[in-house]
């Protein structure tokens, strides 16, 4: 097995077995059979990049029916409004600036840019969510970003001041084509800004459900700096973010164009001190994950045997790994409530748990709710205070299995 970045040797460290496409919710009339792949992760002995060992064809994940909506969380809507304001104030200050977002989804970030009257383009292969962005006044190019697409955008719109991507770059195995495309598209002093789940947080919290088909790479400063340098870029800034269970925002500029800020050296030193990308650290992570799986299954089986009423909250992509790796089906979690229209009335991939509308949660409240959208815990618990007041208990499994009741 070869590293997708540098062709170095991959050392496998965790295996989640046979898994479905995480956002492929099964509709009642779907002909089947479902697509499965082998979900396992390794670390490159040469460049330290942590990555999946098997790649799912991109068209199986990102297509017209892709269900995830960035606007589904109030905290994320605020986060992306803040990102847009910041780009406008710091990077988009020249005459007639131009920003390109990769994976703009339903336009949650670019909407603010469009409202400011700034030239922009969202690149989005999933047609359904892209049309939602267009309906909000965002200019969208349907298709996958890659080197060829970059040349097309440059010809039509000229060079970009910023290429921005949230929760998208880590989804793209063909990074060589992406970084060549970014190099084509960016003006000489331009920057690539991207934010993705941080390996340091995944290891610290044992948040193994960040590992699923769409998340191909698990970035950290060490591996991103090496990746950037292969393409003539330098890592010039990093910023830790609290969203989605812990992310880092990386800023890449062309080598020599900007002096790296002090946060870069600090994070690199922290990663080295923690031995973050060493196989022993990653194998220890894998053992904690297996122990957490066993205690989650034991808890849910115990609750079923005592006749407690349980449901799931948030039919996340992440939950595909939890449910399929732990073998949790409708006997343990009879249904999951979720606000996403395209998930409701369907079954979770592989585990076949029915997804219902949010109203099903309180009708009546279950005794226990498995919080599969744990990254939105604060937002969800704040709006669902009545659940605990009614005697309900949340089940969380990050950083280990624990209960939050009245
Ligand atoms: P959420 C997706 O992951 C896929 P998921 C992707 N690979 C990625 O990286 C991240 O997004 C960015 C629902 N919900 O954000 C909505 C409620 O029902 O954790 C969503 O279906 N009630 C691109 O799917 C799900 O939960 C609520 O109050 O793991 C949350 O999904 C809230 C706040 C959410 O991402
Ligand atoms: N940026 C949003 C959406 C993340 S979902 C957020 O953070 O909430 C990931 C998005 O990346 C999906 O909408 C998917 O269609 C898109 N995507 C996948 N591969 C891509 C590629 N090669 N170029 C551009 N977008 C891509
Ligand atoms: Zn490598």
């Amino acid at each position: 097995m070869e590293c997708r970045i540098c062709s170095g040797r991959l050392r496998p460290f965790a295996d989640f077995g046979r898994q479905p496409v995480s956002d492929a919710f099964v509709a009642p009339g779907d002909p089947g059979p479902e697509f499965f792949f082998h979900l396992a992760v390794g670390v490159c002995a040469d460049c330290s990049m942590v990555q999946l060992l098997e790649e799912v064809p991109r068209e199986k994940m990102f297509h017209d029916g892709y269900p995830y909506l960035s606007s589904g969380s109030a905290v994320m809507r605020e986060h992306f409004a803040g990102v847009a304001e910041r780009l406008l104030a710091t990077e988009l200050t020249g005459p007639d600036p131009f920003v390109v977002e990769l994976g703009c989804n339903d336009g949650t970030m670019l909407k603010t840019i469009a409202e400011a009257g700034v030239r922009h383009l969202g690149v989005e292969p999933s047609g359904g969510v892209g049309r939602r962005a267009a309906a909000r006044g965002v200019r969208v190019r349907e298709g996958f970003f890659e080197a060829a697409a970059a040349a097309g955008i440059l010809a039509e719109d000229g060079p970009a001041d910023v290429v921005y991507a949230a929760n998208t770059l880590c989804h793209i195995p063909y990074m060589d084509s992406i970084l060549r495309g970014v190099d084509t598209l960016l003006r000489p002093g331009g920057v690539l800004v991207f934010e993705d789940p941080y390996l340091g947080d995944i290891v610290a919290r044992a948040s193994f459900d960040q590992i699923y088909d769409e998340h191909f790479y698990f970035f950290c400063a060490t591996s991103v700096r090496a990746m950037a340098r292969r393409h003539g870029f330098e890592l010039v800034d990093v910023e830790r973010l609290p969203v989605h269970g812990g992310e880092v925002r990386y800023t890449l500029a062309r080598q020599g164009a900007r002096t790296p800020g002090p946060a870069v050296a600090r994070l690199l030193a922290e990663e080295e001190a923690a031995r973050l990308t060493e196989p022993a650290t990653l194998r220890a992570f894998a053992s904690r994950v297996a122990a957490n799986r066993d205690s989650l299954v034991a808890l849910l089986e115990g609750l079923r045997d005592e006749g407690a009423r349980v449901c799931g909250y948030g039919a996340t992509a992440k939950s595909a790994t939890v449910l399929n790796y732990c073998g949790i089906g409708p006997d343990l979690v009879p249904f999951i409530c979720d606000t996403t229209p395209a998930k409701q009335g369907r079954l979770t991939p592989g585990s076949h748990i029915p997804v219902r509308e949010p109203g099903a949660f309180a009708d009546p409240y279950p005794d226990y709710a498995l919080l599969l959208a744990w990254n939105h815990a604060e937002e969800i618990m704040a709006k669902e205070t009545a659940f605990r007041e009614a005697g309900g208990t949340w089940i969380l499994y990050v950083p280990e299995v624990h209960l939050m009741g009245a």
Side-chain angles (χ1 to χ4, degrees):
M1 276 160 304
E2 276 192 5
C3 172
R4 210 55 173 81
I5 299 290
C6 79
S7 304
R9 189 165 51 85
L10 287 183
R11 297 173 168 155
F13 63 85
D15 193 326
F16 300 92
R18 208 173 82 105
Q19 291 281 341
V21 170
S22 61
D23 266 315
F25 290 82
V26 182
D30 274 356
E34 290 178 272
F35 177 86
F36 286 91
F37 74 108
H38 183 186
L39 180 66
V41 242
V43 60
C44 175
D46 292 340
C47 77
S48 301
M49 183 64 83
V50 172
Q51 58 201 276
L52 297 191
L53 305 185
E54 185 179 335
E55 176 179 339
V56 172
R58 62 188 187 177
E59 292 77 11
K60 292 212 183 292
M61 300 184 282
F62 309 116
H63 45 69
D64 217 63
Y66 182 67
Y68 182 71
L69 300 176
S70 304
S71 58
S73 144
V75 168
M76 291 314 297
R77 290 197 297 275
E78 244 172 73
H79 173 79
F80 286 124
V83 168
E85 295 297 347
R86 188 142 130 205
L87 290 178
L88 288 169
T90 58
E91 301 291 344
L92 300 171
T93 54
D96 193 25
F98 177 47
V99 53
V100 175
E101 183 181 12
L102 315 183
C104 70
N105 198 272
D106 62 5
T108 302
M109 196 288 282
L110 281 181
K111 174 176 148 304
T112 305
I113 304 272
E115 284 163 4
V118 166
R119 275 202 307 135
H120 64 275
L121 181 68
V123 185
E124 180 48 72
S126 299
V129 296
R131 285 192 292 280
R132 284 176 179 258
R136 297 159 113 184
V138 169
R139 192 171 153 247
V140 181
R141 175 189 173 108
E142 188 172 325
F144 291 94
F145 184 81
E146 54 195 335
I153 298 167
L154 180 74
E156 207 169 302
D157 294 301
D161 297 270
V162 180
V163 174
Y164 172 80
N167 306 298
T168 298
L169 273 211
C170 78
H171 294 54
I172 308 182
Y174 40 102
M175 194 57 73
D176 178 74
S177 173
I178 295 296
L179 291 180
R180 276 191 287 120
V182 170
D183 192 31
T184 301
L185 192 52
L186 275 185
R187 71 171 171 81
V191 285
L192 168 65
V193 179
F194 59 103
E195 45 194 78
D196 287 288
Y198 179 48
L199 179 67
D201 288 308
I202 294 172
V203 169
R205 300 175 185 198
S207 44
F208 65 96
D209 57 351
Q210 294 285 12
I211 302 168
Y212 56 91
D213 57 344
E214 294 178 24
H215 287 176
F216 188 83
Y217 292 116
F218 304 88
F219 294 145
C220 62
T222 308
S223 58
V224 166
R225 186 174 65 161
M227 173 177 99
R229 287 181 171 175
R230 296 178 65 80
H231 290 271
F233 289 101
E234 186 58 58
L235 177 61
V236 297
D237 199 14
V238 290
E239 189 183 346
R240 294 186 74 157
L241 306 171
V243 297
H244 286 307
E247 301 204 321
V248 167
R249 178 182 298 147
Y250 306 88
T251 304
L252 269 49
R254 287 206 175 78
Q255 269 165 11
R258 291 194 192 187
T259 311
V264 175
R266 271 202 306 269
L267 193 58
L268 287 167
E270 222 178 276
E271 291 175 3
E272 204 181 330
R275 301 174 185 275
L276 179 60
T277 59
E278 283 185 23
T281 306
L282 297 168
R283 281 196 302 268
F285 157 82
S287 319
R288 283 172 67 205
V289 168
N292 284 353
R293 170 191 59 186
D294 295 346
S295 41
L296 181 60
V297 171
L299 173 69
L300 292 174
E301 285 177 349
L303 292 175
R304 176 197 54 198
D305 297 346
E306 358 172 302
R309 286 168 312 120
V310 178
C311 87
Y313 199 109
T316 56
K318 292 182 290 292
S319 73
T321 297
V322 180
L323 301 172
N324 289 284
Y325 171 62
C326 298
I328 297 169
D331 59 321
L332 296 180
V333 176
F335 71 94
I336 301 174
C337 59
D338 192 285
T339 52
T340 315
K343 296 180 184 178
Q344 294 160 3
R346 297 190 174 218
L347 304 174
T348 56
S351 51
H352 296 179
I353 298 175
V355 181
R356 297 176 58 187
E357 71 289 354
F361 183 49
D363 187 26
Y365 281 124
D367 302 310
Y368 293 86
L370 177 62
L371 187 52
L372 297 160
W374 57 267
N375 47 310
H376 302 301
E378 222 172 289
E379 174 177 350
I380 290 171
M381 288 188 188
K383 76 175 179 191
E384 301 289 5
T385 48
F387 170 55
R388 279 206 269 178
E389 282 159 17
T393 299
W394 293 103
I395 303 172
L396 289 107
Y397 50 85
V398 169
E400 67 257 315
V401 177
H402 61 285
L403 300 176
M404 288 177 72

